[in-house]
Amino acid sequence: MLAMLCASLDVNSIHSEQQSEPQLLPPSNKPQPILIVLQQLLPLLKTVVSKWPNDNDVVKAVCEVLNKSLHVLLDAAALLVGDITDLVIHTYCTVSHSSLVELTKQLLLLFAGSESHKPTMMSLFSKMTERTLSLLNQDIEHHPDITEAFMILLAQLFKKHPELLDYKHCNLTGLFQCGISALGQAETPTVRNAASFLCEFIAQRCKRTETEAVVLKQGLVLLTRLLKAIGGEASRSLMNHMSDVLFMLNKHYYDHLSSWMMEFINQDGFPSPLAAKVNKEHFTRLILKERTHKRKLQEIVTEFTLLCRGLIGTDYAAATTSICL
């Protein structure tokens, strides 16, 4: 109920019974009522989450109130950034919830570009990252919601605010390794967002040399994860996401990818005993040649994954290929 109230207290929009979406009005000089309401609510919300940090429904409800409020207030929420950040960090370090990761994403996207709030946002990102990596490194399979939310956060942050990577304690290697682990999970949304994050990370090569060092060190590990998935460990419906990451490696790390692929060619039975050395050599030539057309590379990967699964020429492959693409 509070979340609905926060969403409706917007002086810059009007709601009509005939319209499913609110109609935006010209910017007003009037203070947003929700700012006053939220200032009064925050101490209560802090008390609530401190008393019931293990109750996922309670934490989710509090985060929904804050997310709705931030969506309405936007830059006007600047006065409350410190208090909301303290609530997020304290609660997340006590008991981690995916809703807190989603709230962190909202805060970072809104205020990471502000010079006055950058130290606070870097601290938030640092502590969120440290806690999440510690959690997922221990047991990523049992935290699918947090993994998915964290991958979404990283993908959007690397795309819109890569300057947060500049702080000296940013664990780029840990983030990249976490992305590789997430790529091996079974849940489609997690894999999709992990692939998106890894693509953004790889694309940073021309802007930040720190990311290049990580990819060069972990690139073979990533390629092994991709080829295992293509070889049959992952659902065929996930192959386009694997292709996207492979495409970015080919585009930004061509020379290194060609070297890494040679190790794959010479490894018997990998990624599938059904793929002979001549098949892997042909696959590698096609991959390395395709640096501009993502769709073509997806088709190459689709053909090879069918070979690895023993499905080439079968009626089942013909019937399901269009669904998996």
Side-chain angles (χ1 to χ4, degrees):
M1 186 173 67
L2 283 173
M4 293 176 62
L5 173 65
C6 293
S8 63
L9 290 177
D10 188 355
V11 298
N12 292 326
S13 68
I14 58 174
H15 295 260
S16 170
E17 294 181 358
Q18 288 75 35
Q19 294 175 315
S20 58
E21 296 293 331
Q23 179 182 351
L24 294 179
L25 297 175
S28 170
N29 291 325
K30 297 179 182 178
Q32 287 277 20
I34 187 55
L35 180 60
I36 300 170
V37 172
L38 193 58
Q39 285 174 322
Q40 301 298 316
L41 269 179
L42 266 174
L44 175 60
L45 296 179
K46 286 184 177 181
T47 301
V48 168
V49 294
S50 65
K51 284 188 175 182
W52 295 284
N54 293 295
D55 192 318
N56 186 62
D57 291 334
V58 169
V59 176
K60 185 176 181 180
V62 169
C63 289
E64 186 178 2
V65 170
L66 294 173
N67 266 316
K68 295 283 188 183
S69 301
L70 290 172
H71 181 72
V72 171
L73 291 170
L74 300 177
D75 291 345
L79 294 172
L80 305 174
V81 166
D83 289 334
I84 297 175
T85 300
D86 288 343
L87 183 152
V88 170
I89 292 173
H90 177 76
T91 308
Y92 194 73
C93 289
T94 303
V95 182
S96 301
H97 299 271
S98 60
S99 54
L100 290 164
V101 182
E102 294 165 4
L103 179 57
T104 297
K105 180 194 72 175
Q106 179 89 319
L107 285 166
L108 291 172
L109 292 179
L110 278 173
F111 298 106
S114 167
E115 286 300 321
S116 59
H117 291 103
K118 185 168 289 186
T120 302
M121 292 299 100
M122 283 190 169
S123 175
L124 172 60
F125 181 57
S126 175
K127 291 176 181 177
M128 171 65 66
T129 297
E130 182 180 1
R131 169 62 178 166
T132 305
L133 290 180
S134 174
L135 186 71
L136 298 185
N137 286 341
Q138 294 176 24
D139 194 4
I140 191 172
E141 289 84 4
H142 287 81
H143 301 284
D145 293 343
I146 291 177
T147 304
E148 179 186 348
F150 191 52
M151 289 299 109
I152 293 173
L153 181 155
L154 293 177
Q156 295 198 21
L157 202 61
F158 270 60
K159 185 175 182 178
K160 298 181 179 180
H161 291 291
E163 68 273 9
L164 283 181
L165 309 180
D166 292 339
Y167 78 92
K168 61 182 179 180
H169 299 300
C170 184
N171 186 358
L172 290 175
T173 299
L175 294 178
F176 196 76
Q177 291 173 334
C178 186
I180 296 173
S181 296
L183 203 63
Q185 302 309 298
E187 297 81 13
T188 297
T190 298
V191 174
R192 179 178 65 247
N193 288 295
S196 179
F197 158 59
L198 290 168
C199 287
E200 292 294 340
F201 193 109
I202 293 166
Q204 289 291 324
R205 182 183 190 183
C206 58
K207 303 174 185 177
R208 285 174 168 76
T209 56
E210 298 90 343
T211 61
E212 179 181 4
V214 173
V215 176
L216 292 180
K217 187 175 181 179
Q218 298 293 325
L220 184 57
V221 178
L222 172 58
L223 181 62
T224 301
R225 176 69 266 164
L226 292 171
L227 293 175
K228 282 183 177 180
I230 294 169
E233 284 193 4
S235 167
R236 283 171 56 207
S237 63
L238 300 176
M239 291 304 101
N240 280 359
H241 306 307
M242 307 302 165
S243 298
D244 289 344
V245 181
L246 196 55
F247 180 81
M248 293 302 286
L249 282 175
N250 201 22
K251 183 177 180 179
H252 294 280
Y253 292 87
Y254 173 81
D255 292 339
H256 299 91
L257 179 61
S258 60
S259 174
W260 297 331
M261 290 293 278
M262 288 305 299
E263 295 194 29
F264 140 72
I265 289 173
N266 293 321
Q267 188 173 343
D268 291 339
F270 181 81
S272 165
L274 298 177
K277 184 174 182 179
V278 63
N279 302 130
K280 294 188 286 187
E281 288 173 339
H282 180 62
F283 174 66
T284 299
R285 282 195 300 271
L286 293 177
I287 288 292
L288 295 175
K289 187 172 68 173
E290 201 52 66
R291 302 177 65 189
T292 55
H293 298 97
K294 185 184 291 188
R295 181 67 180 181
K296 179 63 177 175
L297 190 140
Q298 290 174 349
E299 293 172 357
I300 294 167
V301 168
T302 297
E303 187 75 10
F304 187 68
T305 198
L306 290 175
L307 171 71
C308 290
R309 298 164 199 258
L311 296 175
I312 288 287
T314 64
D315 293 339
Y316 175 74
T320 58
T321 295
S322 61
I323 299 174
C324 294
L325 286 175

